[in-house]
Amino acid sequence: MSENGDGEEAGRLAAMPSRLLAQAAGVAGRIVGEGLAAAGAHRYHYAVLATLEAFGVSSQAGLSRRTGLDRSDMVATLAALEGAGLVAREVDARDRRRNVVTLTGAGRARLEELDGVLAQAQAAFLVPLSAAERAELVRLLGVLVRHHGVRWA
Amino acid sequence: MSENGDGEEAGRLAAMPSRLLAQAAGVAGRIVGEGLAAAGAHRYHYAVLATLEAFGVSSQAGLSRRTGLDRSDMVATLAALEGAGLVAREVDARDRRRNVVTLTGAGRARLEELDGVLAQAQAAFLVPLSAAERAELVRLLGVLVRHHGVRWA
DNA sequence: CTAATTTCAGTTTAACTGATATCA
DNA sequence: CTGATATCAGTTTAACTGAAATTA
């Protein structure tokens, strides 16, 4: 009645794109998270530092939009980064509702350090793929993400 | 000091494989979840039904291993499926610690219905990719997932 | 007035942990 | 005895929601 007889092919689930994506994202996220944790950092910290370097000075709301982190979590993230001297936060003189968030020198150095950590993590994850395959994977994912209008792409 | 001047390229984050994967997996998961919810089902339900059809009769622990669902969540999932008449659950006469879980006729019919829902969801997600690109994406993800030994691939 | 921003306090949900009872 | 199984109760964590205070 169950006519299995294979023992290797797992059926629909094993080839389902959404499932493969979830699995791959899970592995990649674990590797990245462990790497950052070993360096005493968090995914949120890297996202904020890298976004500040890429886009320059920003308000907290702007950082939330660009990183995809919730405004609420941004508060705690910036408190941690500020406490470590990696960013400066001061009220915007032009619009006193806003905080102006700036990357400090220490923040820039920390970002470079974490860039190394991240590069290693990506490499560890992508190790079974050739350079061409890695590029193609990134391209395909980019097409999907852009098509579905992920806000903070 | 911030030398941005582009306004389009988002820096490191936008091209980072782990981030693209998380974003793509998020979109895909949302589309799949909404499709299943509209059909009155849950991701867990589909996973169990599809695994039962692919591998045949199984114990709850076996289902947990093959689907990746926690043994604990499996209890509630099977209670729901049993209550809807989609699976049968009875004590294994050969090993009375185990429950023998069987797909019923109604379960098989429900699975076919949900297969349609899932196929539509995958198509909606993959719409910007050609057939060749979809196949390549699945292949690349499969290589990654298998290399990293995801238990329930 | 409405709308944007920062902040805090609390909620939701999926995933997981620990403990218990049963049986091989 | 150890080890596997099913079950339940409770925990953890990320992501999110609501509301207050401030300012445009």
Side-chain angles (χ1 to χ4, degrees), chain A residues 112-149:
Chain A
E112 264 185 63
E113 183 195 349
L114 294 182
D115 271 331
V117 170
L118 261 286
Q120 263 192 279
Q122 305 297 321
F125 171 64
L126 295 170
V127 69
L129 301 185
S130 70
E133 288 173 325
R134 295 177 193 200
E136 180 66 358
L137 177 67
V138 166
R139 186 184 75 79
L140 295 172
L141 293 174
V143 168
L144 287 168
V145 163
R146 262 173 273 118
H147 178 268
H148 291 286

PDB file of all heavy atoms in Angstrom, chain A residues 112-149:
ATOM      1  N   GLU A 112      34.993  46.751  10.146  1.00  0.00           N
ATOM      2  CA  GLU A 112      35.979  46.033   9.329  1.00  0.00           C
ATOM      3  C   GLU A 112      36.252  44.651   9.901  1.00  0.00           C
ATOM      4  O   GLU A 112      36.360  43.668   9.170  1.00  0.00           O
ATOM      5  CB  GLU A 112      37.290  46.836   9.261  1.00  0.00           C
ATOM      6  CG  GLU A 112      37.397  47.692   8.012  1.00  0.00           C
ATOM      7  CD  GLU A 112      38.752  48.380   7.926  1.00  0.00           C
ATOM      8  OE1 GLU A 112      39.768  47.667   7.820  1.00  0.00           O
ATOM      9  OE2 GLU A 112      38.793  49.632   8.012  1.00  0.00           O
ATOM     10  N   GLU A 113      36.329  44.595  11.214  1.00  0.00           N
ATOM     11  CA  GLU A 113      36.554  43.319  11.878  1.00  0.00           C
ATOM     12  C   GLU A 113      35.387  42.365  11.575  1.00  0.00           C
ATOM     13  O   GLU A 113      35.586  41.208  11.189  1.00  0.00           O
ATOM     14  CB  GLU A 113      36.669  43.569  13.392  1.00  0.00           C
ATOM     15  CG  GLU A 113      36.975  42.338  14.206  1.00  0.00           C
ATOM     16  CD  GLU A 113      36.716  42.606  15.691  1.00  0.00           C
ATOM     17  OE1 GLU A 113      36.507  43.783  16.055  1.00  0.00           O
ATOM     18  OE2 GLU A 113      36.692  41.636  16.473  1.00  0.00           O
ATOM     19  N   LEU A 114      34.182  42.887  11.735  1.00  0.00           N
ATOM     20  CA  LEU A 114      33.007  42.037  11.510  1.00  0.00           C
ATOM     21  C   LEU A 114      32.843  41.675  10.039  1.00  0.00           C
ATOM     22  O   LEU A 114      32.335  40.598   9.717  1.00  0.00           O
ATOM     23  CB  LEU A 114      31.752  42.729  12.039  1.00  0.00           C
ATOM     24  CG  LEU A 114      31.716  42.927  13.557  1.00  0.00           C
ATOM     25  CD1 LEU A 114      30.398  43.574  13.984  1.00  0.00           C
ATOM     26  CD2 LEU A 114      31.917  41.618  14.313  1.00  0.00           C
ATOM     27  N   ASP A 115      33.298  42.551   9.154  1.00  0.00           N
ATOM     28  CA  ASP A 115      33.298  42.198   7.736  1.00  0.00           C
ATOM     29  C   ASP A 115      34.101  40.928   7.508  1.00  0.00           C
ATOM     30  O   ASP A 115      33.698  40.069   6.726  1.00  0.00           O
ATOM     31  CB  ASP A 115      33.900  43.349   6.910  1.00  0.00           C
ATOM     32  CG  ASP A 115      32.850  44.348   6.478  1.00  0.00           C
ATOM     33  OD1 ASP A 115      31.684  43.944   6.306  1.00  0.00           O
ATOM     34  OD2 ASP A 115      33.189  45.526   6.309  1.00  0.00           O
ATOM     35  N   GLY A 116      35.224  40.827   8.191  1.00  0.00           N
ATOM     36  CA  GLY A 116      36.032  39.615   8.072  1.00  0.00           C
ATOM     37  C   GLY A 116      35.290  38.396   8.583  1.00  0.00           C
ATOM     38  O   GLY A 116      35.276  37.340   7.950  1.00  0.00           O
ATOM     39  N   VAL A 117      34.653  38.572   9.724  1.00  0.00           N
ATOM     40  CA  VAL A 117      33.877  37.476  10.303  1.00  0.00           C
ATOM     41  C   VAL A 117      32.778  37.033   9.336  1.00  0.00           C
ATOM     42  O   VAL A 117      32.584  35.840   9.072  1.00  0.00           O
ATOM     43  CB  VAL A 117      33.246  37.921  11.647  1.00  0.00           C
ATOM     44  CG1 VAL A 117      32.239  36.896  12.139  1.00  0.00           C
ATOM     45  CG2 VAL A 117      34.333  38.162  12.681  1.00  0.00           C
ATOM     46  N   LEU A 118      32.083  38.013   8.783  1.00  0.00           N
ATOM     47  CA  LEU A 118      30.985  37.710   7.867  1.00  0.00           C
ATOM     48  C   LEU A 118      31.479  37.040   6.591  1.00  0.00           C
ATOM     49  O   LEU A 118      30.859  36.100   6.089  1.00  0.00           O
ATOM     50  CB  LEU A 118      30.236  38.995   7.505  1.00  0.00           C
ATOM     51  CG  LEU A 118      28.953  39.268   8.271  1.00  0.00           C
ATOM     52  CD1 LEU A 118      27.839  38.345   7.791  1.00  0.00           C
ATOM     53  CD2 LEU A 118      29.163  39.098   9.767  1.00  0.00           C
ATOM     54  N   ALA A 119      32.599  37.531   6.068  1.00  0.00           N
ATOM     55  CA  ALA A 119      33.138  36.938   4.845  1.00  0.00           C
ATOM     56  C   ALA A 119      33.493  35.476   5.081  1.00  0.00           C
ATOM     57  O   ALA A 119      33.226  34.614   4.242  1.00  0.00           O
ATOM     58  CB  ALA A 119      34.368  37.725   4.383  1.00  0.00           C
ATOM     59  N   GLN A 120      34.065  35.212   6.241  1.00  0.00           N
ATOM     60  CA  GLN A 120      34.393  33.824   6.570  1.00  0.00           C
ATOM     61  C   GLN A 120      33.147  32.965   6.682  1.00  0.00           C
ATOM     62  O   GLN A 120      33.112  31.823   6.242  1.00  0.00           O
ATOM     63  CB  GLN A 120      35.137  33.783   7.910  1.00  0.00           C
ATOM     64  CG  GLN A 120      36.648  33.723   7.790  1.00  0.00           C
ATOM     65  CD  GLN A 120      37.285  33.394   9.137  1.00  0.00           C
ATOM     66  OE1 GLN A 120      37.447  34.289   9.972  1.00  0.00           O
ATOM     67  NE2 GLN A 120      37.627  32.137   9.348  1.00  0.00           N
ATOM     68  N   ALA A 121      32.118  33.537   7.296  1.00  0.00           N
ATOM     69  CA  ALA A 121      30.878  32.779   7.476  1.00  0.00           C
ATOM     70  C   ALA A 121      30.236  32.476   6.121  1.00  0.00           C
ATOM     71  O   ALA A 121      29.794  31.350   5.871  1.00  0.00           O
ATOM     72  CB  ALA A 121      29.910  33.558   8.371  1.00  0.00           C
ATOM     73  N   GLN A 122      30.193  33.483   5.243  1.00  0.00           N
ATOM     74  CA  GLN A 122      29.615  33.246   3.920  1.00  0.00           C
ATOM     75  C   GLN A 122      30.417  32.169   3.203  1.00  0.00           C
ATOM     76  O   GLN A 122      29.846  31.270   2.578  1.00  0.00           O
ATOM     77  CB  GLN A 122      29.615  34.524   3.079  1.00  0.00           C
ATOM     78  CG  GLN A 122      28.923  35.720   3.707  1.00  0.00           C
ATOM     79  CD  GLN A 122      27.443  35.531   3.941  1.00  0.00           C
ATOM     80  OE1 GLN A 122      26.754  34.944   3.121  1.00  0.00           O
ATOM     81  NE2 GLN A 122      26.952  35.976   5.079  1.00  0.00           N
ATOM     82  N   ALA A 123      31.736  32.252   3.290  1.00  0.00           N
ATOM     83  CA  ALA A 123      32.578  31.274   2.603  1.00  0.00           C
ATOM     84  C   ALA A 123      32.337  29.874   3.154  1.00  0.00           C
ATOM     85  O   ALA A 123      32.262  28.900   2.396  1.00  0.00           O
ATOM     86  CB  ALA A 123      34.044  31.658   2.744  1.00  0.00           C
ATOM     87  N   ALA A 124      32.192  29.786   4.471  1.00  0.00           N
ATOM     88  CA  ALA A 124      31.961  28.473   5.075  1.00  0.00           C
ATOM     89  C   ALA A 124      30.639  27.886   4.601  1.00  0.00           C
ATOM     90  O   ALA A 124      30.517  26.680   4.364  1.00  0.00           O
ATOM     91  CB  ALA A 124      31.970  28.586   6.600  1.00  0.00           C
ATOM     92  N   PHE A 125      29.668  28.762   4.450  1.00  0.00           N
ATOM     93  CA  PHE A 125      28.355  28.285   4.008  1.00  0.00           C
ATOM     94  C   PHE A 125      28.392  27.872   2.538  1.00  0.00           C
ATOM     95  O   PHE A 125      27.821  26.852   2.138  1.00  0.00           O
ATOM     96  CB  PHE A 125      27.319  29.380   4.233  1.00  0.00           C
ATOM     97  CG  PHE A 125      25.991  29.079   3.618  1.00  0.00           C
ATOM     98  CD1 PHE A 125      25.232  28.005   4.064  1.00  0.00           C
ATOM     99  CD2 PHE A 125      25.490  29.866   2.598  1.00  0.00           C
ATOM    100  CE1 PHE A 125      24.003  27.708   3.493  1.00  0.00           C
ATOM    101  CE2 PHE A 125      24.259  29.583   2.028  1.00  0.00           C
ATOM    102  CZ  PHE A 125      23.526  28.503   2.475  1.00  0.00           C
ATOM    103  N   LEU A 126      29.069  28.663   1.716  1.00  0.00           N
ATOM    104  CA  LEU A 126      29.032  28.468   0.260  1.00  0.00           C
ATOM    105  C   LEU A 126      30.081  27.482  -0.228  1.00  0.00           C
ATOM    106  O   LEU A 126      30.226  27.283  -1.438  1.00  0.00           O
ATOM    107  CB  LEU A 126      29.228  29.818  -0.437  1.00  0.00           C
ATOM    108  CG  LEU A 126      28.115  30.845  -0.217  1.00  0.00           C
ATOM    109  CD1 LEU A 126      28.527  32.204  -0.750  1.00  0.00           C
ATOM    110  CD2 LEU A 126      26.821  30.379  -0.885  1.00  0.00           C
ATOM    111  N   VAL A 127      30.824  26.884   0.681  1.00  0.00           N
ATOM    112  CA  VAL A 127      31.979  26.082   0.293  1.00  0.00           C
ATOM    113  C   VAL A 127      31.695  25.034  -0.789  1.00  0.00           C
ATOM    114  O   VAL A 127      32.564  24.795  -1.630  1.00  0.00           O
ATOM    115  CB  VAL A 127      32.662  25.466   1.545  1.00  0.00           C
ATOM    116  CG1 VAL A 127      31.795  24.425   2.183  1.00  0.00           C
ATOM    117  CG2 VAL A 127      34.033  24.934   1.222  1.00  0.00           C
ATOM    118  N   PRO A 128      30.528  24.405  -0.839  1.00  0.00           N
ATOM    119  CA  PRO A 128      30.360  23.394  -1.904  1.00  0.00           C
ATOM    120  C   PRO A 128      30.088  23.987  -3.284  1.00  0.00           C
ATOM    121  O   PRO A 128      29.980  23.227  -4.245  1.00  0.00           O
ATOM    122  CB  PRO A 128      29.157  22.572  -1.420  1.00  0.00           C
ATOM    123  CG  PRO A 128      28.378  23.493  -0.572  1.00  0.00           C
ATOM    124  CD  PRO A 128      29.386  24.380   0.108  1.00  0.00           C
ATOM    125  N   LEU A 129      29.967  25.303  -3.406  1.00  0.00           N
ATOM    126  CA  LEU A 129      29.668  25.903  -4.709  1.00  0.00           C
ATOM    127  C   LEU A 129      30.908  26.560  -5.312  1.00  0.00           C
ATOM    128  O   LEU A 129      31.730  27.132  -4.592  1.00  0.00           O
ATOM    129  CB  LEU A 129      28.569  26.957  -4.560  1.00  0.00           C
ATOM    130  CG  LEU A 129      27.218  26.512  -3.998  1.00  0.00           C
ATOM    131  CD1 LEU A 129      26.225  27.663  -4.050  1.00  0.00           C
ATOM    132  CD2 LEU A 129      26.679  25.293  -4.731  1.00  0.00           C
ATOM    133  N   SER A 130      31.002  26.490  -6.634  1.00  0.00           N
ATOM    134  CA  SER A 130      32.063  27.212  -7.351  1.00  0.00           C
ATOM    135  C   SER A 130      31.762  28.703  -7.325  1.00  0.00           C
ATOM    136  O   SER A 130      30.660  29.119  -6.958  1.00  0.00           O
ATOM    137  CB  SER A 130      32.122  26.731  -8.795  1.00  0.00           C
ATOM    138  OG  SER A 130      30.972  27.178  -9.485  1.00  0.00           O
ATOM    139  N   ALA A 131      32.754  29.490  -7.729  1.00  0.00           N
ATOM    140  CA  ALA A 131      32.558  30.937  -7.770  1.00  0.00           C
ATOM    141  C   ALA A 131      31.405  31.295  -8.703  1.00  0.00           C
ATOM    142  O   ALA A 131      30.588  32.171  -8.404  1.00  0.00           O
ATOM    143  CB  ALA A 131      33.846  31.625  -8.216  1.00  0.00           C
ATOM    144  N   ALA A 132      31.333  30.618  -9.849  1.00  0.00           N
ATOM    145  CA  ALA A 132      30.259  30.901 -10.801  1.00  0.00           C
ATOM    146  C   ALA A 132      28.895  30.544 -10.196  1.00  0.00           C
ATOM    147  O   ALA A 132      27.909  31.261 -10.377  1.00  0.00           O
ATOM    148  CB  ALA A 132      30.490  30.115 -12.089  1.00  0.00           C
ATOM    149  N   GLU A 133      28.871  29.442  -9.478  1.00  0.00           N
ATOM    150  CA  GLU A 133      27.601  29.023  -8.862  1.00  0.00           C
ATOM    151  C   GLU A 133      27.190  29.990  -7.755  1.00  0.00           C
ATOM    152  O   GLU A 133      26.005  30.298  -7.598  1.00  0.00           O
ATOM    153  CB  GLU A 133      27.733  27.594  -8.313  1.00  0.00           C
ATOM    154  CG  GLU A 133      27.794  26.532  -9.394  1.00  0.00           C
ATOM    155  CD  GLU A 133      28.092  25.151  -8.839  1.00  0.00           C
ATOM    156  OE1 GLU A 133      28.873  25.054  -7.853  1.00  0.00           O
ATOM    157  OE2 GLU A 133      27.562  24.176  -9.369  1.00  0.00           O
ATOM    158  N   ARG A 134      28.151  30.458  -7.008  1.00  0.00           N
ATOM    159  CA  ARG A 134      27.830  31.424  -5.961  1.00  0.00           C
ATOM    160  C   ARG A 134      27.233  32.680  -6.576  1.00  0.00           C
ATOM    161  O   ARG A 134      26.233  33.225  -6.099  1.00  0.00           O
ATOM    162  CB  ARG A 134      29.092  31.798  -5.178  1.00  0.00           C
ATOM    163  CG  ARG A 134      29.673  30.628  -4.421  1.00  0.00           C
ATOM    164  CD  ARG A 134      30.965  31.008  -3.710  1.00  0.00           C
ATOM    165  NE  ARG A 134      31.648  29.792  -3.269  1.00  0.00           N
ATOM    166  CZ  ARG A 134      32.568  29.755  -2.332  1.00  0.00           C
ATOM    167  NH1 ARG A 134      32.944  30.865  -1.719  1.00  0.00           N
ATOM    168  NH2 ARG A 134      33.124  28.616  -1.978  1.00  0.00           N
ATOM    169  N   ALA A 135      27.851  33.137  -7.638  1.00  0.00           N
ATOM    170  CA  ALA A 135      27.361  34.343  -8.301  1.00  0.00           C
ATOM    171  C   ALA A 135      25.947  34.119  -8.842  1.00  0.00           C
ATOM    172  O   ALA A 135      25.080  34.995  -8.747  1.00  0.00           O
ATOM    173  CB  ALA A 135      28.312  34.743  -9.423  1.00  0.00           C
ATOM    174  N   GLU A 136      25.734  32.928  -9.395  1.00  0.00           N
ATOM    175  CA  GLU A 136      24.409  32.646  -9.953  1.00  0.00           C
ATOM    176  C   GLU A 136      23.362  32.564  -8.846  1.00  0.00           C
ATOM    177  O   GLU A 136      22.246  33.073  -8.996  1.00  0.00           O
ATOM    178  CB  GLU A 136      24.454  31.330 -10.751  1.00  0.00           C
ATOM    179  CG  GLU A 136      23.140  30.924 -11.387  1.00  0.00           C
ATOM    180  CD  GLU A 136      22.665  31.879 -12.485  1.00  0.00           C
ATOM    181  OE1 GLU A 136      23.352  32.898 -12.738  1.00  0.00           O
ATOM    182  OE2 GLU A 136      21.603  31.627 -13.072  1.00  0.00           O
ATOM    183  N   LEU A 137      23.728  31.964  -7.731  1.00  0.00           N
ATOM    184  CA  LEU A 137      22.791  31.897  -6.604  1.00  0.00           C
ATOM    185  C   LEU A 137      22.406  33.298  -6.143  1.00  0.00           C
ATOM    186  O   LEU A 137      21.222  33.608  -5.955  1.00  0.00           O
ATOM    187  CB  LEU A 137      23.425  31.123  -5.444  1.00  0.00           C
ATOM    188  CG  LEU A 137      22.587  31.041  -4.165  1.00  0.00           C
ATOM    189  CD1 LEU A 137      21.332  30.204  -4.398  1.00  0.00           C
ATOM    190  CD2 LEU A 137      23.398  30.472  -3.005  1.00  0.00           C
ATOM    191  N   VAL A 138      23.408  34.133  -5.986  1.00  0.00           N
ATOM    192  CA  VAL A 138      23.138  35.505  -5.551  1.00  0.00           C
ATOM    193  C   VAL A 138      22.264  36.233  -6.575  1.00  0.00           C
ATOM    194  O   VAL A 138      21.341  36.962  -6.225  1.00  0.00           O
ATOM    195  CB  VAL A 138      24.461  36.269  -5.309  1.00  0.00           C
ATOM    196  CG1 VAL A 138      24.223  37.761  -5.187  1.00  0.00           C
ATOM    197  CG2 VAL A 138      25.156  35.729  -4.055  1.00  0.00           C
ATOM    198  N   ARG A 139      22.550  36.003  -7.827  1.00  0.00           N
ATOM    199  CA  ARG A 139      21.755  36.655  -8.866  1.00  0.00           C
ATOM    200  C   ARG A 139      20.291  36.198  -8.795  1.00  0.00           C
ATOM    201  O   ARG A 139      19.369  37.026  -8.789  1.00  0.00           O
ATOM    202  CB  ARG A 139      22.322  36.327 -10.253  1.00  0.00           C
ATOM    203  CG  ARG A 139      21.634  37.088 -11.387  1.00  0.00           C
ATOM    204  CD  ARG A 139      22.144  36.666 -12.770  1.00  0.00           C
ATOM    205  NE  ARG A 139      21.628  35.371 -13.201  1.00  0.00           N
ATOM    206  CZ  ARG A 139      20.402  35.174 -13.698  1.00  0.00           C
ATOM    207  NH1 ARG A 139      19.564  36.181 -13.832  1.00  0.00           N
ATOM    208  NH2 ARG A 139      20.017  33.964 -14.054  1.00  0.00           N
ATOM    209  N   LEU A 140      20.080  34.898  -8.715  1.00  0.00           N
ATOM    210  CA  LEU A 140      18.709  34.375  -8.693  1.00  0.00           C
ATOM    211  C   LEU A 140      17.961  34.874  -7.464  1.00  0.00           C
ATOM    212  O   LEU A 140      16.800  35.294  -7.545  1.00  0.00           O
ATOM    213  CB  LEU A 140      18.724  32.843  -8.712  1.00  0.00           C
ATOM    214  CG  LEU A 140      19.281  32.210  -9.993  1.00  0.00           C
ATOM    215  CD1 LEU A 140      19.425  30.694  -9.840  1.00  0.00           C
ATOM    216  CD2 LEU A 140      18.381  32.535 -11.179  1.00  0.00           C
ATOM    217  N   LEU A 141      18.616  34.851  -6.326  1.00  0.00           N
ATOM    218  CA  LEU A 141      17.964  35.333  -5.103  1.00  0.00           C
ATOM    219  C   LEU A 141      17.641  36.819  -5.218  1.00  0.00           C
ATOM    220  O   LEU A 141      16.578  37.266  -4.783  1.00  0.00           O
ATOM    221  CB  LEU A 141      18.855  35.068  -3.885  1.00  0.00           C
ATOM    222  CG  LEU A 141      19.066  33.596  -3.513  1.00  0.00           C
ATOM    223  CD1 LEU A 141      20.088  33.471  -2.391  1.00  0.00           C
ATOM    224  CD2 LEU A 141      17.752  32.933  -3.118  1.00  0.00           C
ATOM    225  N   GLY A 142      18.567  37.545  -5.827  1.00  0.00           N
ATOM    226  CA  GLY A 142      18.334  38.980  -6.017  1.00  0.00           C
ATOM    227  C   GLY A 142      17.111  39.245  -6.882  1.00  0.00           C
ATOM    228  O   GLY A 142      16.298  40.123  -6.586  1.00  0.00           O
ATOM    229  N   VAL A 143      16.968  38.471  -7.943  1.00  0.00           N
ATOM    230  CA  VAL A 143      15.802  38.626  -8.826  1.00  0.00           C
ATOM    231  C   VAL A 143      14.526  38.370  -8.024  1.00  0.00           C
ATOM    232  O   VAL A 143      13.563  39.149  -8.100  1.00  0.00           O
ATOM    233  CB  VAL A 143      15.891  37.650 -10.018  1.00  0.00           C
ATOM    234  CG1 VAL A 143      14.562  37.606 -10.769  1.00  0.00           C
ATOM    235  CG2 VAL A 143      17.022  38.052 -10.957  1.00  0.00           C
ATOM    236  N   LEU A 144      14.516  37.321  -7.254  1.00  0.00           N
ATOM    237  CA  LEU A 144      13.323  36.975  -6.475  1.00  0.00           C
ATOM    238  C   LEU A 144      13.003  38.059  -5.457  1.00  0.00           C
ATOM    239  O   LEU A 144      11.865  38.520  -5.338  1.00  0.00           O
ATOM    240  CB  LEU A 144      13.536  35.636  -5.763  1.00  0.00           C
ATOM    241  CG  LEU A 144      13.494  34.405  -6.664  1.00  0.00           C
ATOM    242  CD1 LEU A 144      13.996  33.171  -5.919  1.00  0.00           C
ATOM    243  CD2 LEU A 144      12.080  34.180  -7.173  1.00  0.00           C
ATOM    244  N   VAL A 145      14.008  38.458  -4.728  1.00  0.00           N
ATOM    245  CA  VAL A 145      13.795  39.431  -3.653  1.00  0.00           C
ATOM    246  C   VAL A 145      13.322  40.762  -4.217  1.00  0.00           C
ATOM    247  O   VAL A 145      12.400  41.390  -3.690  1.00  0.00           O
ATOM    248  CB  VAL A 145      15.091  39.582  -2.828  1.00  0.00           C
ATOM    249  CG1 VAL A 145      15.062  40.845  -2.002  1.00  0.00           C
ATOM    250  CG2 VAL A 145      15.294  38.360  -1.941  1.00  0.00           C
ATOM    251  N   ARG A 146      13.944  41.178  -5.333  1.00  0.00           N
ATOM    252  CA  ARG A 146      13.534  42.451  -5.925  1.00  0.00           C
ATOM    253  C   ARG A 146      12.134  42.349  -6.510  1.00  0.00           C
ATOM    254  O   ARG A 146      11.335  43.267  -6.373  1.00  0.00           O
ATOM    255  CB  ARG A 146      14.541  42.876  -6.992  1.00  0.00           C
ATOM    256  CG  ARG A 146      15.551  43.901  -6.459  1.00  0.00           C
ATOM    257  CD  ARG A 146      16.651  44.200  -7.464  1.00  0.00           C
ATOM    258  NE  ARG A 146      17.750  43.247  -7.333  1.00  0.00           N
ATOM    259  CZ  ARG A 146      18.159  42.404  -8.279  1.00  0.00           C
ATOM    260  NH1 ARG A 146      17.569  42.389  -9.460  1.00  0.00           N
ATOM    261  NH2 ARG A 146      19.164  41.585  -8.041  1.00  0.00           N
ATOM    262  N   HIS A 147      11.838  41.232  -7.128  1.00  0.00           N
ATOM    263  CA  HIS A 147      10.505  41.085  -7.713  1.00  0.00           C
ATOM    264  C   HIS A 147       9.410  41.166  -6.656  1.00  0.00           C
ATOM    265  O   HIS A 147       8.345  41.733  -6.884  1.00  0.00           O
ATOM    266  CB  HIS A 147      10.380  39.750  -8.448  1.00  0.00           C
ATOM    267  CG  HIS A 147       9.015  39.529  -9.034  1.00  0.00           C
ATOM    268  ND1 HIS A 147       8.006  38.865  -8.363  1.00  0.00           N
ATOM    269  CD2 HIS A 147       8.469  39.931 -10.207  1.00  0.00           C
ATOM    270  CE1 HIS A 147       6.926  38.845  -9.117  1.00  0.00           C
ATOM    271  NE2 HIS A 147       7.174  39.479 -10.237  1.00  0.00           N
ATOM    272  N   HIS A 148       9.698  40.604  -5.493  1.00  0.00           N
ATOM    273  CA  HIS A 148       8.671  40.597  -4.446  1.00  0.00           C
ATOM    274  C   HIS A 148       8.773  41.832  -3.558  1.00  0.00           C
ATOM    275  O   HIS A 148       8.111  41.902  -2.518  1.00  0.00           O
ATOM    276  CB  HIS A 148       8.760  39.309  -3.637  1.00  0.00           C
ATOM    277  CG  HIS A 148       8.347  38.101  -4.415  1.00  0.00           C
ATOM    278  ND1 HIS A 148       7.034  37.828  -4.723  1.00  0.00           N
ATOM    279  CD2 HIS A 148       9.068  37.106  -4.983  1.00  0.00           C
ATOM    280  CE1 HIS A 148       6.973  36.701  -5.440  1.00  0.00           C
ATOM    281  NE2 HIS A 148       8.198  36.245  -5.615  1.00  0.00           N
ATOM    282  N   GLY A 149       9.609  42.749  -3.979  1.00  0.00           N
ATOM    283  CA  GLY A 149       9.626  44.051  -3.325  1.00  0.00           C
ATOM    284  C   GLY A 149       9.915  44.018  -1.840  1.00  0.00           C
ATOM    285  O   GLY A 149       9.235  44.671  -1.060  1.00  0.00           O
TER     286      GLY A 149
END
